[in-house]
Amino acid sequence: MPEPPPGPGVAPPFAAPPTEGGRARLWLGLGVGALAVLLCCGGGGAAIVGLAVSNVQAIQEQGRTVTNNYYRALVARNWSKAYDQLCADARRRESRPEFEQRVATEPQITGYRVGDVDTQTLTVPVDVTLAGGRREAQTVTLAPDQQTGAVEVCGVR
């Protein structure tokens, strides 16, 4: 039969678990974990918002640029360059020679001012000055190119 263990003051064969501060460490650990989750989710949410904002800004910039290039070509009477700004659907509706003949017979555009792109409808208002000083409000409809993703002019009314 084994001998009974020695009396008080003798080290036990294993360390006893700590008893004080157990709850404090638990709450500290839970707090740090919650903070980590919050930072990860908050950072992801901020990234999504940032991407959405930069996408809207990119569409506005591309829309204004392609509209400006289209009207600059019309003012310069460079019909071919204006035709190059059109989307594939507009090119299917009207060939290059048909487009050039049509715009050559329309009143000459001598100036223009491009407005802000409406990112919901992909339209751009343009104030146009025609030869003789007459002014006209036009609306350019934009469409993204399916292959390149670039924005193109798809119609003017």
Side-chain angles (χ1 to χ4, degrees):
M1 171 143 255
E3 286 189 33
V10 176
F14 56 87
T19 57
E20 74 258 1
R23 290 204 187 278
R25 270 185 243 149
L26 172 68
W27 288 110
L28 179 64
L30 289 174
V32 168
L35 181 62
V37 168
L38 182 64
L39 286 175
C40 289
C41 292
I48 289 171
V49 169
L51 283 173
V53 168
S54 66
N55 189 32
V56 166
Q57 290 173 341
I59 289 172
Q60 288 175 343
E61 183 178 328
Q62 286 183 15
R64 286 181 58 86
T65 299
V66 74
T67 302
N68 191 43
N69 291 345
Y70 178 77
Y71 278 92
R72 184 180 301 130
L74 292 178
V75 168
R77 301 180 71 93
N78 187 344
W79 315 136
S80 181
K81 190 172 182 179
Y83 186 81
D84 291 340
Q85 305 301 311
L86 298 177
C87 70
D89 189 43
R91 291 179 189 184
R92 276 192 292 278
R93 290 190 308 257
E94 189 173 40
S95 70
R96 187 179 299 266
E98 292 169 335
F99 173 83
E100 291 176 359
Q101 182 180 358
R102 179 180 59 81
V103 295
T105 60
E106 291 177 347
Q108 173 65 35
I109 296 174
T110 59
Y112 63 94
R113 187 178 65 79
V114 177
D116 291 331
V117 176
D118 182 340
T119 56
Q120 298 297 316
T121 60
L122 284 180
T123 57
V124 186
V126 181
D127 292 326
V128 175
T129 304
L130 303 172
R134 189 173 67 115
R135 298 179 71 102
E136 181 177 290
Q138 296 182 353
T139 302
V140 174
T141 303
L142 304 173
D145 184 306
Q146 298 300 321
Q147 294 175 346
T148 65
V151 178
E152 299 173 320
V153 173
C154 219
V156 178
R157 52 186 158 104

